[in-house]
Amino acid sequence: MGPDRLERRAVISGIGQSQVGRRLYRDPLDLTIDAALEAIADAGLEPADIDGIATYPGNQDVPPGFSGVGVVEVQDALRLELDWFAGGLESPGQLGSVINAIAAVATGLADHVLCFRTVWEASAQGSKGRSSVTMGAGGTGAGYRASGFMQWTLPFGAPSAANWIAMMAQRHFHEFGTTREQLAQIALNGRRNAARNPKAIYRDPMTLDDYLGVRMISTPLCLYDCDVPADGSTAVIVSRADAAADLAHPPARIEAVGAAIHGRPSWDQWDDLTTMALRDAAAMLWSRTDLTPADVDVAELYDGFSFITLCWLEALGFCGHGEGGPFIEGGERIALDGEIPLNTHGGQLSAGRLHGYGFLHEACVQLWDRGGERQVAGGPEVAVVGAGGGPLGGCLLLTRDR
Amino acid sequence: MADSKPFRVLPRITEQNEHFWRGGREGELRFLRCQRCGYWIHPPAPVCPECLSKDVAPEATSGRAVVHTYTVNEQPWIPTLDPPYVVAIVELPEQEGLRLTTNIVNCDPYEVRIGMQVRVTFEEYDDVWLPFFEPAGSAGGEGR
């Protein structure tokens, strides 16, 4: 590819992850520090080398457990001297923070950026109850009035992305004949892979009958189409490529980023509800590389809800628009030994809702042949990572350093 | 209607959205419309995205719509708002893509289908008139 793409000047040099689980009741900053120190050490760096921080969403007034930890808490806990930092809810999905970090190192604003995402939704929901979670800043609801986007959904009892994604799935079912049996394969594949991941939350076998028999959340999405609230923190170090030459191990190279949003930035006003913002992000990604979907050895694609993964598969061109159902039917194609191994750690549906960063962590695990029992055979060289759904979407194409 | 309405989270009324949330007082489903090019704007914004005119004003629609997509919510997210109930995105005939999220009421939740013709029906909560939609055919009771 002719022009020098800025992202080629950045690499991922290290990864780390805290303890992951349901209701750990551990301080989210404590989890974050575990992940951060592990990632810094994995890269062969010291905290003093870190001159940037990027996170999503940062300290925000959002439902309990979602915001996690912000920039300043981590900076202060580790006494980092930062040249650059960014957090924020408005970005192309969770990976928007990593894409920000890539831009920062590529343009010389920082050398080594600590990127992290911390969630403690399981503990927050366990102690505070679900109603407060869905009311956001409004607590129990008394006297609370919705504004912004939520004013258009909360009065109608639709507070959750489960409702909004369900309506997108329903439209896809209607237009293309997609079925619950097909969608089930995302969950079943995740569970099979989770059985090989010691950190996954749900590892017991799941059958199609289990899936079809479990309670519905919001038709056509059942409980097993929805990811598992978890506590945990994931960190990655984004380094300037020439500053990473002599680090601990060969890094993952960044071949291309996708961060575009061309459609209306809204869950219910998006132009074609059978697609999502990932459509635009994926198109941008492929416009920045000579590689094609056929070159991808492993795909780590967001499954906050199973239907989002199906949309990512279509958006990234593994199959045509509307063909996601037949593509995943039977599950062989997306299995660990299939054409395009998908969500090899179990995804958020089984391994826990680490909110996007878990997929990036797993892509590096696979490219670095650290997958143990779940390692994709043959030394995967190209991985695609996508995170976000609805009007949020960002993606990365990573390659193994040679 | 039942005598005691379930608790609902209500919108914060502003100068920009009042026409929408209180239009039901006069039985009207209102949206901002560009007075220059006629484009309907939702959610409300101070400028027409089509022609960039700032001459926008509320106008009543027909109140008719088609179910663009829907879901039967089975999860008790909100105390006293008991599932199952239908959340839908409906599209108005006034303009392609003129949509809103709402509830489909006055019918069996499991009878709702994409493409179904519906019409607006308002329910008053404090100072807000929530626009729900009911089947426009015989099931909804024409002329009620």
Side-chain angles (χ1 to χ4, degrees):
Chain A
M1 174 140 287
D4 175 33
R5 302 297 188 192
L6 275 183
E7 58 263 49
R8 312 280 169 86
R9 301 181 194 167
V11 297
I12 294 177
S13 57
I15 59 175
Q17 194 168 74
S18 72
Q19 181 188 9
V20 173
R22 297 277 289 160
R23 295 175 190 160
L24 299 176
Y25 295 114
R26 282 185 59 191
D27 184 285
L29 180 58
D30 185 31
L31 295 170
T32 308
I33 296 304
D34 282 0
L37 291 179
E38 186 175 298
I40 292 167
D42 183 44
L45 295 167
E46 301 289 337
D49 298 317
I50 300 297
D51 56 2
I53 290 183
T55 188
Y56 175 95
N59 243 331
Q60 301 272 337
D61 187 12
V62 289
F66 180 86
S67 177
V69 169
V71 169
V72 296
E73 296 161 85
V74 174
Q75 186 203 356
D76 201 42
L78 297 177
R79 299 291 194 277
L80 301 178
E81 297 179 6
L82 301 181
D83 294 326
W84 178 89
F85 61 93
L89 194 55
E90 291 179 325
S91 84
Q94 303 83 354
L95 292 182
S97 53
V98 178
I99 294 169
N100 282 344
I102 290 168
V105 301
T107 52
L109 290 175
D111 287 341
H112 301 288
V113 179
L114 167 65
C115 305
F116 70 89
R117 174 83 182 102
T118 303
V119 285
W120 53 289
E121 292 174 294
S123 289
Q125 292 180 11
S127 60
K128 302 257 176 92
R130 287 209 63 92
S131 62
S132 68
V133 172
T134 58
M135 300 283 178
T140 55
Y144 171 67
R145 289 286 183 116
S147 58
F149 173 70
M150 293 304 271
Q151 76 176 291
W152 308 111
T153 62
L154 268 178
F156 305 105
S160 171
N163 302 125
W164 316 331
I165 296 286
M167 289 194 282
M168 294 176 170
Q170 191 76 56
R171 186 76 204 180
H172 198 279
F173 279 32
H174 172 79
E175 286 192 26
F176 304 112
T178 314
T179 65
R180 289 193 65 213
E181 286 76 5
Q182 291 169 338
L183 201 54
Q185 295 302 330
I186 302 288
L188 299 181
N189 175 69
R191 186 59 65 89
R192 275 194 302 272
N193 292 339
R196 297 164 180 253
N197 174 9
K199 286 180 92 168
I201 290 177
Y202 291 130
R203 303 179 64 200
D204 293 340
M206 182 200 291
T207 67
L208 181 59
D209 282 346
D210 293 336
Y211 173 93
L212 294 173
V214 79
R215 69 188 173 89
M216 297 300 291
I217 298 296
S218 196
T219 61
L221 303 182
C222 67
L223 183 66
Y224 294 147
D225 291 309
C226 307
D227 61 2
V228 185
D231 297 346
S233 179
T234 308
V236 305
I237 309 297
V238 170
S239 297
R240 221 179 62 233
D242 55 5
D246 54 355
L247 293 186
H249 55 82
R253 297 210 165 267
I254 294 154
E255 173 69 16
V257 303
I261 181 163
H262 296 177
R264 291 185 65 187
S266 157
W267 294 86
D268 65 353
Q269 302 295 326
W270 187 258
D271 50 332
D272 179 353
L273 292 178
T274 68
T275 66
M276 304 184 199
L278 14 143
R279 174 194 69 192
D280 300 341
M284 175 176 165
L285 180 118
W286 293 122
S287 76
R288 298 176 72 83
T289 176
D290 289 330
L291 298 180
T292 70
D295 295 311
V296 175
D297 300 311
V298 59
E300 309 294 349
L301 302 177
Y302 196 74
D303 61 357
F305 300 94
S306 57
F307 179 67
I308 298 175
T309 312
L310 184 144
C311 282
W312 269 116
L313 287 167
E314 293 184 0
L316 285 163
F318 292 109
C319 60
H321 178 210
E323 295 169 2
F327 183 81
I328 59 177
E329 194 160 308
E332 290 86 0
R333 200 174 265 130
I334 55 174
L336 210 53
D337 59 353
E339 247 170 68
I340 181 68
L342 175 69
N343 296 351
T344 48
H345 58 314
Q348 296 187 170
L349 297 177
S350 282
R353 176 181 165 80
L354 297 174
H355 212 220
Y357 268 60
F359 298 94
L360 177 54
H361 184 276
E362 178 66 8
C364 293
V365 163
Q366 290 291 336
L367 290 177
W368 293 338
D369 276 324
R370 296 180 187 174
E373 268 191 80
R374 67 180 192 276
Q375 179 63 45
V376 169
E381 293 191 351
V382 181
V384 70
V385 189
L392 305 168
C395 48
L396 298 171
L397 193 64
L398 304 177
T399 61
R400 182 184 195 136
D401 197 29
R402 283 175 284 274
Chain B
M1 278 308 131
D3 289 342
S4 60
K5 295 172 194 159
F7 169 78
R8 289 190 186 252
V9 179
L10 298 177
R12 180 178 300 146
I13 304 301
T14 66
E15 213 169 282
Q16 199 177 49
N17 68 16
E18 183 177 4
H19 65 276
F20 181 88
W21 292 117
R22 292 193 177 142
R25 186 169 46 193
E26 285 81 40
E28 291 186 346
L29 181 63
R30 296 172 183 157
F31 294 86
L32 289 184
R33 191 175 191 194
C34 177
Q35 301 299 297
R36 187 159 90 186
C37 75
Y39 189 85
W40 298 89
I41 302 162
H42 187 71
V47 63
C48 170
E50 284 292 296
C51 75
L52 302 184
S53 168
K54 297 190 90 171
D55 186 9
V56 299
E59 284 189 28
T61 63
S62 62
R64 288 183 293 114
V66 172
V67 175
H68 184 70
T69 189
Y70 70 97
T71 180
V72 183
N73 177 67
E74 307 275 4
Q75 175 75 14
W77 304 108
I78 294 176
T80 83
L81 192 59
D82 292 332
Y85 55 86
V86 180
V87 179
I89 296 173
V90 301
E91 184 161 316
L92 278 67
E94 277 77 4
Q95 178 176 294
E96 189 181 348
L98 182 61
R99 301 181 198 145
L100 70 151
T101 298
T102 183
N103 295 132
I104 307 297
V105 298
N106 299 334
C107 69
D108 179 344
Y110 302 98
E111 297 287 312
V112 173
R113 292 291 176 267
I114 288 174
M116 201 166 140
Q117 302 284 330
V118 291
R119 66 175 173 211
V120 74
T121 175
F122 294 97
E123 202 163 312
E124 185 182 351
Y125 286 82
D126 296 343
D127 56 344
V128 173
W129 282 257
L130 295 180
F132 301 145
F133 284 77
E134 62 184 8
S138 51
E142 201 69 43
R144 250 186 346 154

